[in-house]
Amino acid sequence: MGTYRGGPNTFATVGLASKPLHVFGNPYFICEWIPASSVNFNGTVTAKGWRILPDWGYGRVYTVVVVNCTFDNDVGTDAGGGELIVHAHHGDSFGKSARIPVLKEAPEQYSASVFNPPYPYDYLYCGSSLFGEINSQRIREWMAYHAKIFGPRSHFVFHDAGGIHRDVQKVLEPWVKIGRVTIQYIREQEKYDGYYYNQFFIVNDCLHRYRFKADWTFFFDVDEYIYTPPGTSLAEALKSLASYTQFTFEQMPMSNKHCLATDNTTVSDFSR
């Protein structure tokens, strides 16, 4: 579970919860902000949490829940620190609830500048859960290609659900060392039966974790490639979409004319 500040008065908590409870029950959330300087909880403020279920109904035993906490007024902007508590209520006749501390801000930790451009990167890639027998050579080619397409002011976040084995790690390690790649190790997620290695949980966490790190955040898989026609660039394409907050790609199969029918021993720039 992760909680991230989205502005002076809003937060998002991303986690897993019981699928049957959220499908057949009526759970709800109350958010509470406790200033660090408050005495005996005086000065605390509360707001009803807005529940979002972003897994399109694919969740199984567990489902992804995003709780948005938006208060009527700014909280913690005096840089005095504080704590965000989410009270999770089952919504049944027994009145059961759980008090969950989700975020603690230290004094002077809040900074309004992080929510406004210029951001550290132009583009940030949030990858889905990587699992199974990933081909390290294909990762080498994919990474080199997109590092060039996105340019030097970009960053890539990969999530290891068992797919980043030793050979893939060796391919990504040079990119990690120069600060172009971050690897999040999520192998423990397999204990929780969610859809497709908890893909919806992973990408929603990545969205909120890195929301204010780049002008654009991309979500696609490592068997997919961003392509712009000759004579155009990604920056030019995105400039025409500057008034939008979200867009989707048209997917097209890659031409088999780009692939060799037989193996050869030619050394390419990607494999050096």
Side-chain angles (χ1 to χ4, degrees), residues 4 43 56 201:
Y4 311 100
W56 296 353
F201 173 63

Side-chain angles (χ1 to χ4, degrees), residues 225-254:
Y225 286 72
I226 297 291
Y227 171 79
T228 57
T232 64
S233 67
L234 182 62
E236 291 172 342
L238 294 178
K239 186 176 181 180
S240 66
L241 299 169
S243 61
Y244 295 88
T245 59
Q246 180 180 346
F247 66 89
T248 57
F249 294 102
E250 178 184 4
Q251 291 189 320
M252 299 178 61
M254 184 180 293

